[in-house]
């Protein structure tokens, strides 16, 4: 029998993904599965009881649940949590989300139900999808970094760094849509990168399709990514006017088809396009009289985002205490404990991010120096973006624009520092991201190199995405009177773009492999230390 075709497939796959990268992805998968079945307690991942119950509804053939009108957290799950045989089902607030992730997660559950009736196994089986998503995420990130020209060794190290963030590992060991959403957005950004680099129109459509599928996992967060990304795709289309219009419509319809269908469903059922578990929540009679600056200063918002991005862990004590679940009228008899990582692991992670931010600022000033030195900028008017930038070819206008941007960016950072918005490391990192976002704005009109464009687009989209998220949590605070949604995992959709921009800085500034490898080893050791010294003792203490 001729097995040459198998060898050819393996050779091609290994060439695209070197053995070390495949090994790192496999290690992440094994780590996540081990944690999922032997370490992470049941229902100890954010909203896991809701995510599991949604997947089980689909596995049992009940169809897509309707928020407040059907989807519930079953009596068996609530009985486990309350240590009671008479526990009542609970309203499943996770029914607010579209079904794509839950359709995928229902299949392991269906298969598991054929071979066992042990709830301890069945309740954990959908966690396999998160573990697989995390392992695939590392491969997609590696592929994206290879597209921009980062050599295989550095690309593997940078991609693997995401797998050494304890929160990513934690979510990959639970039933949650967050890592699958992370993966879908990373695939969309992969095609976005390919389009900006190679100008192949099919890549723009693939990007739009994956953005649409990401919104089929969770509507609101991916939309904050889709809008600026699709706008950039349309501005970057290098086509005659009639063809441009055709593809602009096609890309837009593809990107927003799934979320639009979900919004129409909401409108038909609830009478509102954007209907969530908080839509009918009781609000304060008089909204809080607090400015955005007050909100940031008084509530340590950025410290919360930072620490919960790195590692936020939950555990449940069944049958004791009382917890009012979302949508319930009376408290339930269990307690939810929360722990955020602190100490050396968090400081080490913050220092690595801060060093990467400084390298990006170095690269940004390098672009500014090049723009200052050029008397003329020959931007071929190949697309709408280049046409918009054509007015800036006059040296005086260009230099005035750049100087004003530097002054504005510095002023905003100084104002932010005066807010006393958090710890020194968090403040420095947020200040760097604000500075990079504002500094990127004029360069979109002055740069024609694909890789440099990706560098600045990453920071612009991150600034837009972060601003939308901050305004959302601030608005929630004003009308509800409580701090909600300051979860670092909400930043996952845009993280591949930030990683991409940082990697371009590593290429352009010729950062040595040794520094990158040392940073990743520090992250890996920090995660191991965090689990041994903080996470596992927390699980043992909360359960005792």
């Amino acid at each position: 029998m001729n097995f040459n075709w198998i060898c050819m497939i393996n050779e091609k796959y290994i060439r695209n993904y070197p053995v070390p990268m495949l090994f790192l992805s496999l290690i992440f998968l094994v780590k996540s599965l081990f944690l999922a079945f032997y370490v992470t307690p049941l229902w100890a991942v954010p909203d896991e009881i809701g995510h599991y119950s949604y997947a089980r509804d689909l596995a049992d053939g009940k169809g897509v649940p309707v928020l407040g009108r059907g989807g519930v957290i079953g009596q068996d799950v609530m009985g486990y949590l309350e240590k009671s045989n008479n526990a009542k089902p609970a309203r499943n607030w996770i029914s607010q989300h579209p079904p794509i992730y839950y359709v995928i997660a229902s299949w392991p559950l269906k298969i598991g139900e054929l071979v066992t009736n042990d709830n301890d196994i069945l309740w954990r089986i959908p966690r396999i999808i998160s573990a697989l998503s995390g392992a695939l995420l590392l491969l997609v990130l590696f592929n994206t970094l290879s597209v921009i020209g980062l050599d295989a060794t550095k690309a593997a190290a940078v991609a693997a760094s995401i797998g050494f963030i304890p929160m990513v590992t934690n979510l990959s060991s639970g039933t949650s849509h967050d890592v699958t959403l992370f993966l879908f957005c990373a695939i969309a950004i992969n095609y976005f990168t390919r389009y900006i680099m190679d100008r192949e129109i099919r890549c723009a459509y693939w990007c739009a399709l994956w953005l649409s599928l990401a919104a089929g996992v969770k509507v609101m967060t991916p939309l904050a990514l889709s809008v600026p990304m699709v706008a950039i795709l349309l501005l970057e289309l290098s086509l005659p006017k009639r063809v441009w219009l055709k593809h602009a419509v096609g890309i837009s319809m593809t990107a927003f088809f799934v979320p639009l269908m979900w919004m129409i469903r909401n409108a038909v059922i609830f009478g509102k396009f954007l209907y969530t578990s908080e839509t009918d929540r009781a609000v304060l009679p008089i909204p809080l009289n607090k400015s955005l600056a007050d909100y940031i200063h008084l509530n340590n918002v950025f410290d919360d985002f930072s620490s919960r991005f790195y590692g936020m862990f939950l555990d449940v004590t069944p049958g004791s205490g009382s917890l009012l679940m979302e949508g319930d009228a009376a408290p339930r008899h269990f307690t939810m404990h929360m722990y955020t990582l602190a100490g050396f692991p968090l400081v080490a992670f913050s220092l690595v991010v801060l060093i990467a931010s400084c390298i990006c600022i170095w690269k940004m000033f390098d672009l500014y120096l090049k723009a200052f030195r050029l008397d003329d900028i020959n931007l071929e008017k190949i697309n709408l973006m280049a046409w918009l930038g054509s007015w800036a070819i006059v040296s005086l206008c260009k230099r005035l624009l750049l100087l004003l941007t530097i002054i504005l960016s510095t002023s905003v950072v100084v104002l932010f520092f005066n807010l006393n918005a958090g710890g020194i490391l968090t403040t420095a990192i947020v200040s760097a991201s604000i500075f990079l976002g504002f500094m990127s704005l004029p360069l979109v009109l002055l740069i024609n190199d694909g890789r440099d464009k990706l560098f600045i687009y990453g920071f612009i989209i991150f600034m837009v995405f972060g601003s939308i998220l901050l305004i959302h949590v601030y608005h929630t605070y004003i009308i509800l009177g409580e701090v909600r949604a300051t979860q670092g995992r909400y930043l996952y959709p845009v993280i591949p773009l930030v990683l991409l921009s940082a990697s371009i800085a590593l290429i352009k500034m010729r950062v040595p492999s040794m520094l990158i490898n040392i940073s990743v080893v520090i992250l890996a050791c920090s995660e191991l230390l965090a689990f041994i010294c903080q996470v596992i003792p927390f699980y043992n203490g909360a359960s005792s």
Side-chain angles (χ1 to χ4, degrees):
M1 186 178 291
N2 188 352
F3 291 101
N4 289 338
W5 64 276
I6 298 177
C7 296
M8 289 173 64
I9 292 173
N10 288 338
E11 182 182 350
K12 181 180 179 181
Y13 191 74
I14 291 172
R15 186 170 65 248
N16 290 336
Y17 297 96
V19 172
M21 187 63 240
L22 293 173
F23 180 72
L24 287 167
S25 177
L26 179 62
I27 288 294
F28 183 87
L29 176 62
V30 172
K31 175 181 71 172
S32 299
L33 289 175
F34 175 78
L35 292 171
F37 285 92
Y38 297 104
V39 177
T40 305
L42 281 170
W43 322 126
V45 169
D47 301 326
E48 186 170 23
I49 55 174
H51 293 303
Y52 167 82
S53 299
Y54 195 148
R56 191 168 75 174
D57 280 348
L58 293 176
D60 292 345
K62 296 179 181 178
V64 177
V66 177
L67 179 62
R69 303 186 187 182
V72 296
I73 298 167
Q75 185 176 2
D76 55 344
V77 174
M78 295 309 303
Y80 171 88
L81 288 171
E82 297 193 81
K83 281 192 173 179
S84 169
N85 294 325
N86 299 317
K88 295 180 180 178
R91 178 178 184 257
N92 188 1
W93 68 97
I94 295 298
S95 302
Q96 66 186 303
H97 295 301
I100 287 181
Y101 163 75
Y102 306 99
V103 170
I104 300 170
S106 68
W107 281 100
L109 197 51
K110 280 184 177 181
I111 295 169
E113 288 173 343
L114 297 176
V115 297
T116 184
N117 58 3
D118 185 347
N119 277 337
D120 191 60
I121 296 174
L122 289 175
W123 287 343
R124 295 175 188 268
I125 273 183
R127 292 175 167 186
I128 292 172
I129 298 303
S130 294
L132 285 170
S133 295
L136 291 173
L137 171 66
L138 301 189
L139 295 179
V140 172
L141 292 173
F142 171 83
N143 185 273
T144 304
L145 300 179
S146 299
V147 169
I148 61 169
L150 191 64
D151 70 68
T153 304
K154 292 179 180 177
V158 175
S161 67
I162 293 297
F164 296 127
I165 298 174
M167 191 66 196
V168 174
T169 300
N170 181 39
L171 290 169
S172 296
S173 69
T175 301
S176 169
H177 61 196
D178 291 295
V179 182
T180 302
L181 175 63
F182 201 167
L183 171 64
F184 283 17
C185 291
I187 297 172
I189 289 166
N190 180 282
Y191 283 109
F192 177 79
T193 302
R194 291 176 182 275
Y195 179 75
I196 299 300
M197 293 291 290
D198 302 329
R199 301 289 169 180
E200 292 185 11
I201 191 66
R202 65 182 181 86
C203 293
Y205 277 95
W206 278 111
C207 173
L209 175 62
W210 281 101
L211 286 173
S212 192
L213 291 173
V217 173
K218 183 179 182 179
V219 170
M220 298 301 293
T221 312
L223 275 181
L225 177 67
S226 299
V227 171
M229 278 185 66
V230 170
I232 289 171
L233 284 175
L234 301 189
L235 290 170
E236 289 285 351
L237 285 178
S238 307
L239 299 164
K241 290 180 181 178
R242 289 183 180 179
V243 183
W244 181 92
L245 182 60
K246 179 182 75 172
H247 287 299
V249 172
I251 291 169
S252 300
M253 289 182 64
T254 303
F256 297 110
F257 177 76
V258 172
L260 183 61
M261 291 299 100
W262 186 254
M263 289 178 189
I264 290 173
R265 173 188 182 270
N266 284 342
V268 170
I269 296 174
F270 304 108
K272 297 177 182 179
F273 286 103
L274 295 174
Y275 189 86
T276 70
S277 60
E278 293 187 354
T279 301
D280 297 327
R281 190 182 178 95
V283 299
L284 296 174
I286 302 174
L288 293 179
N289 185 23
K290 300 289 184 182
S291 67
L292 178 60
D294 293 333
Y295 169 65
I296 293 171
H297 173 65
L298 296 173
N299 296 290
N300 296 317
V301 173
F302 290 110
D303 277 340
D304 281 352
F305 269 116
S306 176
S307 60
R308 293 175 185 179
F309 178 89
Y310 184 65
M312 182 192 77
F313 292 83
L314 304 175
D315 199 7
V316 175
T317 301
S320 67
S322 63
L323 179 71
L324 184 62
M325 296 175 61
E326 197 161 341
D328 262 4
R332 299 291 185 143
H333 300 297
F334 68 94
T335 305
M336 184 71 72
H337 308 274
M338 186 180 78
Y339 180 80
T340 53
L341 295 179
F344 173 79
L346 179 59
V347 172
F349 171 75
S350 300
L351 286 172
V352 169
V353 174
L354 184 58
I355 291 169
S357 301
C358 291
I359 293 170
C360 291
I361 291 173
W362 181 19
K363 159 68 176 169
M364 185 67 71
F365 276 114
D366 182 65
L367 286 178
Y368 264 68
L369 285 172
K370 289 178 181 177
F372 266 109
R373 288 170 183 165
L374 291 174
D375 290 329
D376 293 306
I377 302 171
N378 297 316
L379 285 178
E380 184 183 353
K381 298 178 186 178
I382 57 173
N383 53 46
L384 187 55
M385 186 67 79
W387 180 83
L388 288 171
S390 62
W391 65 272
I393 61 173
V394 179
S395 296
L396 180 62
C397 291
K398 173 197 68 178
R399 288 170 180 162
L400 181 61
L401 178 65
L402 294 175
L403 281 171
L404 288 174
T405 303
I406 293 173
I407 294 169
L408 174 64
S409 303
T410 305
S411 301
V412 172
V413 168
V414 170
L415 288 172
F416 178 74
F417 256 96
N418 288 334
L419 286 179
N420 296 318
I424 185 64
L425 286 176
T426 301
T427 302
I429 292 168
V430 176
S431 298
S433 66
I434 293 171
F435 185 77
L436 287 164
F438 276 100
M439 290 283 282
S440 297
L441 292 172
L443 292 180
V444 299
L445 304 174
L446 307 174
I447 287 177
N448 211 18
D449 178 74
R451 195 155 56 182
D452 286 340
K453 280 191 170 186
L454 285 168
F455 174 76
I456 59 179
Y457 284 152
F459 293 118
I460 290 173
I461 295 173
F462 181 72
M463 183 172 67
V464 171
F465 186 95
S467 299
I468 293 171
L469 179 57
L470 180 60
I471 290 169
H472 170 70
V473 297
Y474 167 64
H475 176 71
T476 303
Y477 171 71
I478 290 299
I479 63 172
L480 298 181
E482 56 187 85
V483 179
R484 294 170 61 88
T486 53
Q487 305 288 342
R489 69 183 189 272
Y490 295 159
L491 293 169
Y492 284 178
V494 78
I495 291 302
L497 274 171
V498 177
L499 207 65
L500 184 67
S501 295
S503 299
I504 292 169
L506 296 179
I507 296 171
K508 292 287 188 176
M509 309 320 293
R510 299 180 181 178
V511 176
S513 298
M514 180 67 73
L515 178 60
I516 298 171
N517 292 336
I518 289 173
S519 299
V520 176
V521 169
I522 290 172
L523 292 178
C525 293
S526 297
E527 184 190 40
L528 181 62
L529 187 66
F531 270 91
I532 292 173
C533 298
Q534 298 186 53
V535 178
I536 293 175
F538 164 68
Y539 285 154
N540 292 336
S543 301
S544 61

